[in-house]
Amino acid sequence: MIRKDIKALAAYHVPDSSGLIKLDAMENPFPLPDDLREAWVKELAQVEINRYPDADMRELREQIAEQEGLKPEQVLLGNGSDEIIQMLLLANDPGVCVTPAPTFVMYDLISRWLNRSVASIPLAKDFSLDADQFLQVCAREKAVVAFLACPNNPTGNLWPQETIEKITKGFRGLVVIDEAYAPFAERTHTHLIAPNVMVLRTFSKLGWAGLRLGYVLGDADVIADLNKVRMPYNINSLTQASARFFLKHSDVFKKQARDICFERNRMTASLMALQGIEVFPSQANFILMRVQDADGVFQALKERGILIKNMHAQGGLLSQCLRVTVGSKDENNAVLAALREIMS
Ligand SMILES: Cc1ncc(COP(=O)(O)O)c(C=O)c1O
């Protein structure tokens, strides 16, 4: 029957957002431009839906590799980067997984599914990461894999390059640099790729969350091994066709990412001007803030038709914290107006 520890878990909860301004999941707020939508639908109409998808996805991997300046053999695709985290934890040597805390919850959750223990290293109050402490815990735990979300979710900060490099050089296990928020950050880390260093990406935050497509970049031999635990046909034909099409129009999404960064900076400054809110600087498409009563503010926003993410229940550094996704200008103005009212 079902394992006891699985029974004790709660299923991943996605709150109902119907009728609300949805700013809880770091989605891109912009709908597809009409001309692009029409051309995309024409592409999709060509898909032979009676056939299995292209299992090798050579063309799509070539497009991504070209964009990254790497070889197609260095690219592996997943049904969202969540699926790749699962593949990485499945294929890696048995042993401890190390993560900073707080960070993206799926590293911990998937480790538990796979009976792998997790050691977490608390971030400092300003969410900085102590590389020496990180390496000490890796050594003490004889860890085999570490995840570094750069920028980190839910804190939004990007640890300095020296911190990341110190960890990649000092740890013999696999270091996964998760760059889910790369489109909004000042720096990426593909230059650090090595047999024990991989870079994880997703298209979800760039504007295609509904497609479920992520990829990992790494050493070609490691990618070939990881490919052995990939479900056959894990990327469906419609996603493949859509991604091939959208990659040819990546300028549209890059421009949207720039607009989101502009709005993020405007939001950060406006939130900082409000009484009773501590705002943390972000290099992602969301902003973390701390208030006196996170549950109360969360509820008051919801009553005004705005759904954000309440992080308070996670405790520790996230006590009284709320995370808001950067939306369109109108959505952000609605958040600011509501907060002005709530905080006054
Ligand atoms: C740091 C980080 N990695 C990975 C993911 C998962 O993204 P995907 O939609 O590709 O599964 C997220 C989603 O929020 C994230 O914050």
Side-chain angles (χ1 to χ4, degrees), residues 99-103 119-124 127-129 134 152 155 159 317-318:
T99 69
T103 192
S120 49
I121 289 110
L123 296 175
F127 302 135
S128 59
L129 174 64
F134 196 93
N152 190 36
T155 57
W159 299 302
L317 287 177
L318 295 178

Side-chain angles (χ1 to χ4, degrees), residues 112-129:
R112 285 163 186 252
W113 297 348
L114 298 172
N115 260 325
R116 191 185 279 279
S117 38
V118 177
S120 49
I121 289 110
L123 296 175
K125 269 192 172 160
D126 62 355
F127 302 135
S128 59
L129 174 64

Side-chain angles (χ1 to χ4, degrees), residues 136-157:
Q136 276 159 21
V137 173
C138 288
R140 188 189 73 211
E141 300 288 335
K142 299 189 176 61
V144 293
V145 55
F147 285 89
L148 295 174
C150 300
N152 190 36
N153 172 16
T155 57
N157 61 323

Side-chain angles (χ1 to χ4, degrees), residues 26 80-82 85 104 107 149 153 178 180-181 202 204-205 212:
M26 286 80 90
S81 49
D82 283 347
I85 298 169
F104 182 47
Y107 312 138
N153 172 16
D178 183 346
Y181 302 96
T202 177
S204 297
K205 318 299 171 185
R212 304 300 294 130

